């Protein structure tokens, strides 16, 4: 869709939690940046849902393509089921919809006006393919059925941090309950250079799941800057292998996978987060 037909979508919009701004991305005629209360929240390419601008989303991509290839899901009897805790511009939901036939997705967004803004402007596939559910992620997850999702993505922020109630042992156990056999819990963790938050999250997940791994670029893992760490948690060994690590090393922002005992060493001295 050409940008000149979309000029009306640009600007500042009141939402329930403050203000949203949609800006044009100078590097692509169909690309837009969504800011929520001044913080970049999402990047969307209206013509190419396969384009993921945020690095942490690019690190999540091979968890799907390598760990859960589309050929495992025929779109009829077997549909990929994804729960997104945190909506924003629905970049990952658009990507999943473009790559998995008839995938069933629910996106939980706290802000009703933001959800409507995104639905109107960002061309989100309609229900039942993508259902936007307005609600608090802390309250929605416990209401879902056992073994009802293949992937849960937690990408919720209040400012620069994830609300504490979404990081606890109890919440991780809810995610574990809702995941089906072979399911994966993906979490975007933003942290400062001291990595205290990430270490506490690692300790929390290790208390609940059999397998915990982390993805981040090396400077972040060495405590040199603020950034993102993607956690993967599951009760069955993730089916990733060498191809997954190669995809991380060759990403535009190269990253590394930390798994097994290395995660336990990372979490040494940290305490699991409880209510």
């Amino acid at each position: 869709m050409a940008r000149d037909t979309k000029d009306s979508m640009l600007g500042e919009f009141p939402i329930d939690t403050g203000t949203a701004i949609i800006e044009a991305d100078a590097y692509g005629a169909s690309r837009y940046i969504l800011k929520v209360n001044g913080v970049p929240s999402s990047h969307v390419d209206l013509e190419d849902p396969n384009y993921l601008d945020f690095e942490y989303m690019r690190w999540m991509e091979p968890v799907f393509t390598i760990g859960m290839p589309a050929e495992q899901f025929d779109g009829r009897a077997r549909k990929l089921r994804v729960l997104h805790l945190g909506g924003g511009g629905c970049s990952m939901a658009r990507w999943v919809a473009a790559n998995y036939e008839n995938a069933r997705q629910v996106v939980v967004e706290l802000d009703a006006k933001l959800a409507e803004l995104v639905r109107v402007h960002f061309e989100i596939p309609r229900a039942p393919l993508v259902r936007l559910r307005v609600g608090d992620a802390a309250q929605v997850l416990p209401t879902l059925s056992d073994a009802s999702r293949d992937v849960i993505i937690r990408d919720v922020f209040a400012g620069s941090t994830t609300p504490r109630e979404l990081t606890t042992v109890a919440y991780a156990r809810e995610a574990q309950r809702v995941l089906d056999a072979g399911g994966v819990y993906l979490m975007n963790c933003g942290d400062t250079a001291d990595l205290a938050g990430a270490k506490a999250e690692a300790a929390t997940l290790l208390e609940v799941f059999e397998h915990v791994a982390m993805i981040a670029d090396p400077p972040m893992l060495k405590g040199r800057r603020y950034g993102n760490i993607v956690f993967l948690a599951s009760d069955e060994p993730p089916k990733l292998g060498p191809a997954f690590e190669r995809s991380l090393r060759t990403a535009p922002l190269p990253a590394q996978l930390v798994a097994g005992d290395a995660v336990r060493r990372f979490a040494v001295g940290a305490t699991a987060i409880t209510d």
Side-chain angles (χ1 to χ4, degrees):
M1 184 173 293
R3 174 163 294 175
D4 60 2
T5 66
K6 279 289 188 179
D7 284 345
S8 62
M9 72 186 283
L10 304 179
E12 184 173 308
F13 305 87
I15 56 176
D16 292 330
T17 56
T19 302
I21 297 174
I22 300 178
E23 297 179 349
D25 182 350
Y27 295 98
S30 59
R31 296 177 182 176
Y32 298 88
I33 300 165
L34 172 67
K35 293 181 178 179
V36 176
N37 296 321
V39 179
S41 168
S42 302
H43 182 284
V44 172
D45 188 324
L46 292 181
E47 292 184 355
D48 183 9
N50 282 305
Y51 180 78
L52 298 173
D53 189 72
F54 287 4
E55 296 298 341
Y56 76 88
M57 291 186 180
R58 293 183 180 182
W59 299 338
M60 289 181 179
E61 181 179 343
V63 177
F64 287 88
T65 57
I66 296 174
M68 297 182 174
E71 54 266 26
Q72 291 183 0
F73 304 89
D74 62 12
R76 296 180 296 279
R78 185 76 170 98
K79 302 178 179 69
L80 183 68
R81 301 161 299 169
V82 183
L83 172 68
H84 303 261
L85 300 170
C90 293
S91 303
M92 282 303 301
R94 294 177 78 248
W95 181 90
V96 171
N99 288 277
Y100 291 83
E101 183 182 1
N102 287 326
R104 293 297 189 259
Q105 301 186 78
V106 174
V107 179
V108 180
E109 170 56 54
L110 178 66
D111 192 308
K113 288 184 179 178
L114 177 61
E116 180 61 22
L117 180 72
V118 167
R119 172 69 81 188
V120 168
H121 290 306
F122 288 169
E123 300 178 359
I124 313 302
R126 289 288 177 178
L129 299 180
V130 178
R131 184 162 68 91
L132 285 175
R133 176 172 175 175
V134 175
D136 186 333
Q139 298 173 7
V140 170
L141 184 63
T143 70
L144 302 181
S145 301
D146 294 0
S148 61
R149 300 295 188 275
D150 301 301
V151 182
I152 299 174
I153 300 176
R154 190 204 73 193
D155 193 10
V156 181
F157 285 86
S160 61
T161 60
T162 300
R164 181 180 175 85
E165 59 267 29
L166 306 185
T167 66
T168 65
V169 169
Y171 199 73
R173 291 200 189 282
E174 289 292 347
Q176 181 186 49
R177 177 187 62 79
V178 171
L179 285 171
D180 203 351
V184 178
Y185 187 26
L186 290 173
M187 290 139 286
N188 178 25
C189 171
D191 204 4
T192 56
D194 67 9
L195 298 176
K199 290 178 179 180
E201 289 240 49
T204 300
L205 294 170
L206 287 167
E207 189 164 315
V208 176
F209 289 93
E210 289 293 323
H211 301 275
V212 179
M214 305 158 48
I215 304 169
D217 64 289
M220 178 65 192
L221 289 173
K222 292 177 182 177
R224 294 178 181 171
R225 64 176 181 84
Y226 172 87
N228 297 89
I229 293 177
V230 172
F231 282 98
L232 296 77
S234 61
D235 282 327
E236 295 183 14
K239 298 174 183 178
L240 299 175
F244 180 75
E245 295 195 57
R246 282 197 300 272
S247 73
L248 296 178
R249 290 195 300 268
T250 57
L253 178 63
Q256 66 184 78
L257 178 69
V258 178
D261 289 340
V263 178
R264 294 180 180 86
R265 290 193 294 272
F266 176 81
V268 167
T271 302
I273 304 166
T274 63
D275 295 335

